Amino acid sequence: MADQNIPNAAPNTFTATGAEKFINDNRQRFVYVIGAVIAVIVLSIGYDEFVVQPANADANEDMWRAEQYFMVDSTDWALNGDGLSATLQDVMDEHSGTSAAARAAYEMGLILRGEGDFAGALDAFNESDMDGEILSVIVEINRGDCMVELGDYDAALRTFNAAAKSATGSNAGGYLAPLALYKSAVVAMELGNKSSASASLNSIVKDYPNSPQRGAAEGLAAALGNG
């Protein structure tokens, strides 16, 4: 006689968990979603291989002569061309979004800054979307310097503070962070913001005791304390 305490189970029935039931009920939708994810991955790989890489190669080919002029300090030819090769501006205009265009903008910014065209330099630095934590911080510090020259101290203070924050923990943080903090302190003093200046100077002394800026930071901090 069968045990009366065991319920009879119908053959070939399947009791699904809540998750399994949800997947079973929405199987077609899951297939479409997974297919879409795979398609995005494939397209991304294809886009990088067949679009991004060739674009960067073309940009670098156009860039090399202007970059050579920049490196040997033939800045006029880098900016205005030699009549045969692309200029830095040409690379920026014709190869937007490539690493070569980012380098061209940065190099143009340095040239224009050296010529005293701080507004033009700032525009160029703003277009220089440099990859890497170190290069991006260097660009930010250059932007801040241009803002100081243009008299936009509030923007410069924000930019130097942002650069210092980004530099913290980077491979060159021990050099770039105190440099940005020192520039921030000087600008804050110009604005009469003693608390901000003191915070930046104290951070240099405390967090970057071996930095080249420590001595000057201690001197400024003492002057602020006696002010």
Side-chain angles (χ1 to χ4, degrees):
M1 176 180 291
D3 192 335
Q4 298 298 320
N5 294 324
I6 301 176
N8 293 325
N12 300 322
T13 60
F14 174 72
T15 302
T17 65
E20 290 169 339
K21 186 176 187 303
F22 179 79
I23 292 174
N24 285 332
D25 292 344
N26 296 274
R27 184 173 301 278
Q28 193 67 29
R29 184 179 302 172
F30 271 86
V31 171
Y32 285 133
V33 171
I34 293 171
V37 171
I38 294 173
V40 169
I41 294 173
V42 171
L43 286 174
S44 298
I45 295 172
Y47 183 80
D48 181 72
E49 181 176 354
F50 297 112
V51 178
V52 175
Q53 292 181 20
N56 281 326
D58 290 343
N60 285 324
E61 185 175 348
D62 283 351
M63 172 73 170
W64 78 272
R65 177 62 73 183
E67 196 158 42
Q68 286 296 313
Y69 287 142
F70 169 80
M71 293 174 68
V72 299
D73 208 26
S74 296
T75 55
D76 184 64
W77 281 2
L79 284 179
N80 302 312
D82 56 9
L84 298 172
S85 307
T87 65
L88 295 175
Q89 186 65 58
D90 291 335
V91 175
M92 291 168 60
D93 292 341
E94 297 172 14
H95 302 284
S96 177
T98 65
S99 58
R103 293 200 316 276
Y106 174 68
E107 292 166 10
M108 177 177 285
L110 292 179
I111 293 173
L112 294 177
R113 177 183 170 179
E115 294 180 349
D117 182 1
F118 301 109
L122 182 57
D123 287 341
F125 287 133
N126 286 339
E127 292 190 45
S128 180
D129 186 17
M130 299 290 281
D131 292 331
E133 56 187 14
I134 296 175
L135 291 175
S136 61
V137 172
I138 291 173
V139 170
E140 281 297 283
I141 292 175
N142 276 285
R143 291 179 65 245
D145 287 341
C146 290
M147 293 169 184
V148 169
E149 296 292 345
L150 294 169
D152 193 351
Y153 298 122
D154 289 317
L157 181 61
R158 292 192 298 270
T159 300
F160 288 136
N161 286 338
K165 183 177 180 180
S166 297
T168 303
S170 72
N171 291 332
Y175 173 75
L176 293 177
L179 176 62
L181 286 168
Y182 188 79
K183 289 174 178 286
S184 169
V186 172
V187 173
M189 291 174 66
E190 184 70 23
L191 290 169
N193 191 339
K194 288 188 176 182
S195 61
S196 178
S198 294
S200 295
L201 295 170
N202 291 335
S203 179
I204 294 172
V205 174
K206 177 183 177 182
D207 302 325
Y208 305 98
N210 298 321
S211 68
Q213 290 78 26
R214 178 181 176 175
E218 288 178 325
L220 284 181
L224 281 175
N226 295 327

